[in-house]
Amino acid sequence: MRTIGLIGGLSWVSSLEYYRRINELVQARLGAPHSARCVLYSFDLAEIEPLEQAGRWDEATTRLVDALRAIERAGADLAIICSNTTHKLAGEAARQIHIPLLHIADATGARMRAQGLTRVGLLGTRFTMEGDFYAPRLAERFGIEVLLPEAAERQFVHDLIYHELCAGVFTTDARERVTEIIHHLAASGVQAVILGCTELPLLLPQGTASPIALIDTLRIHAEAAVDAALA
């Protein structure tokens, strides 16, 4: 088994879920008492979020590269960033380390293509929804067209993620509002909606009533990491 390096704290809420799912998957595949070999570098989100909001992406990239090099020194054989938004920095960061960095959009795109999906909606932070590192990557690499919510809905989801979900606050009101946005996307003809923030599957867990399929990027990314570790 290879050692998985996790870059967490972006937020700690979803990092906890990554750790749980990765270990459950390893145990399911290898049997008890197996668990995952992994190392975790956990950021203080209060130091990273202001850089994101101010567009100081070069500084954030430097911090990410330092973290990736730390898990590399600690013995990681491969790395994952436990956040969709932070993959805005993944291209440059991957060039500065010597271990594979498993991109969440690639894992998600491969899964959706295998399911025959060609037109999907995307929810996440504004950086993820509107940036050039996610939707264009899905289009170019996997032939998947991505539709976004209206501008006001994008801002609502962005603010919800930073103000509530990253702090572990999951309310019925938030769930109902996001579900309403999903209904709007469904009406536009998409086949599924990507939960493109690793806190969104915690707000909308499996079994949540939805007019169309919800793509859990956290689960897919965790599975890709275990596949690579056990390959």
Side-chain angles (χ1 to χ4, degrees):
M1 186 193 315
R2 295 197 289 170
T3 299
I4 302 169
L6 299 95
I7 302 298
L10 302 162
S11 68
W12 69 266
V13 180
S14 59
S15 302
L16 178 66
E17 188 68 8
Y18 263 96
Y19 184 77
R20 182 181 70 81
R21 291 193 185 187
I22 285 171
N23 279 282
E24 286 178 347
L25 285 165
V26 169
Q27 181 173 301
R29 296 186 190 186
L30 299 183
H34 283 285
S35 57
R37 291 182 56 184
C38 58
V39 294
L40 168 65
Y41 185 107
S42 189
F43 277 107
D44 178 358
L45 184 58
E47 297 174 0
I48 301 301
E49 181 185 343
L51 301 180
E52 295 176 342
Q53 300 290 6
R56 293 157 59 186
W57 298 107
D58 288 347
E59 294 175 58
T61 300
T62 297
R63 298 285 297 273
L64 176 61
V65 170
D66 288 344
L68 287 165
R69 287 174 174 169
I71 62 170
E72 192 173 16
R73 290 193 299 270
D77 298 304
L78 59 105
I80 60 171
I81 303 168
C82 303
S83 159
N84 282 273
T85 296
T86 312
H87 280 77
K88 180 177 176 67
L89 319 175
E92 178 59 32
R95 287 189 283 271
Q96 299 190 46
I97 59 175
H98 300 96
I99 57 176
L101 176 60
L102 306 184
H103 199 293
I104 195 168
D106 289 345
T108 301
R111 179 68 59 86
M112 291 191 297
R113 184 168 61 185
Q115 294 174 347
L117 299 175
T118 57
R119 194 167 193 256
V120 302
L122 173 62
L123 296 178
T125 66
R126 280 193 301 101
F127 309 124
T128 298
M129 290 186 285
E130 300 172 5
D132 61 1
F133 67 97
Y134 210 97
R137 190 180 186 101
L138 292 175
E140 293 165 8
R141 296 192 173 204
F142 303 98
I144 296 172
E145 180 186 3
V146 177
L147 275 65
L148 303 179
E150 298 295 333
E153 294 176 329
R154 296 199 298 272
Q155 190 63 50
F156 171 82
V157 175
H158 177 89
D159 292 340
L160 175 68
I161 290 167
Y162 279 107
H163 297 160
E164 295 186 17
L165 305 190
C166 285
V169 177
F170 302 96
T171 67
T172 300
D173 286 347
R175 186 173 299 110
E176 290 176 350
R177 179 68 177 114
V178 174
T179 300
E180 180 182 342
I181 295 170
I182 291 169
H183 275 271
H184 295 164
L185 285 168
S188 70
V190 300
Q191 300 161 296
V193 172
I194 302 170
L195 301 180
C197 163
T198 51
E199 285 76 37
L200 283 172
L202 303 177
L203 178 69
L204 301 165
Q206 286 190 327
T208 298
S210 171
I212 51 178
L214 302 178
I215 307 300
D216 182 342
T217 57
L218 191 160
R219 178 179 294 276
I220 291 169
H221 203 203
E223 290 173 354
V226 173
D227 288 343
L230 298 182

